[in-house]
Amino acid sequence: RGLGDVYKRQESASLKNLKAQLRLADIYLAGHGSPLDFPQLYVQLHQSVTDDKKVHKNIAMHLAKLAEKMPERVVNAAKKGKY
């Protein structure tokens, strides 16, 4: 998994592709990518909509793990869509 893969995932995630957003979260949580990009992904996941309870639970898990890696003020700003 190279830097090019991270960039491709970022592009797909920015297009509101939920599957790509979740995969990008996995990549970030595995230690790849820049922590400076975490807030933008957090916003995207926080604003995502699904009626699938399993997917919703997966989103919540990724949000919680991303939140552990960011200062509280950044998480609060991301929840308000400020990134």
Side-chain angles (χ1 to χ4, degrees):
R1 197 176 294 136
L3 195 54
D5 186 46
V6 172
Y7 291 135
K8 287 179 194 173
R9 298 290 177 177
Q10 285 175 328
E11 185 177 343
S12 294
S14 70
L15 298 173
K16 300 194 188 291
N17 180 327
L18 183 55
K19 197 172 192 178
Q21 291 169 349
L22 291 169
R23 180 67 188 117
L24 184 58
D26 287 334
I27 291 170
Y28 286 172
L29 294 170
H32 304 281
S34 169
L36 296 175
D37 294 326
F38 292 3
Q40 182 180 5
L41 179 60
Y42 190 96
V43 169
Q44 292 168 352
L45 287 172
H46 186 71
Q47 294 177 347
S48 63
V49 178
T50 182
D51 61 353
D52 185 321
K53 291 182 184 198
K54 186 176 178 182
V55 172
H56 188 270
K57 186 175 181 179
N58 194 16
I59 292 168
M61 180 204 57
H62 281 86
L63 286 171
K65 287 183 178 181
L66 284 169
E68 291 173 6
K69 297 187 174 286
M70 298 184 294
E72 186 177 353
R73 64 178 175 73
V74 174
V75 173
N76 290 336
K79 286 180 181 178
K80 295 175 184 174
K82 302 209 175 184
Y83 280 92

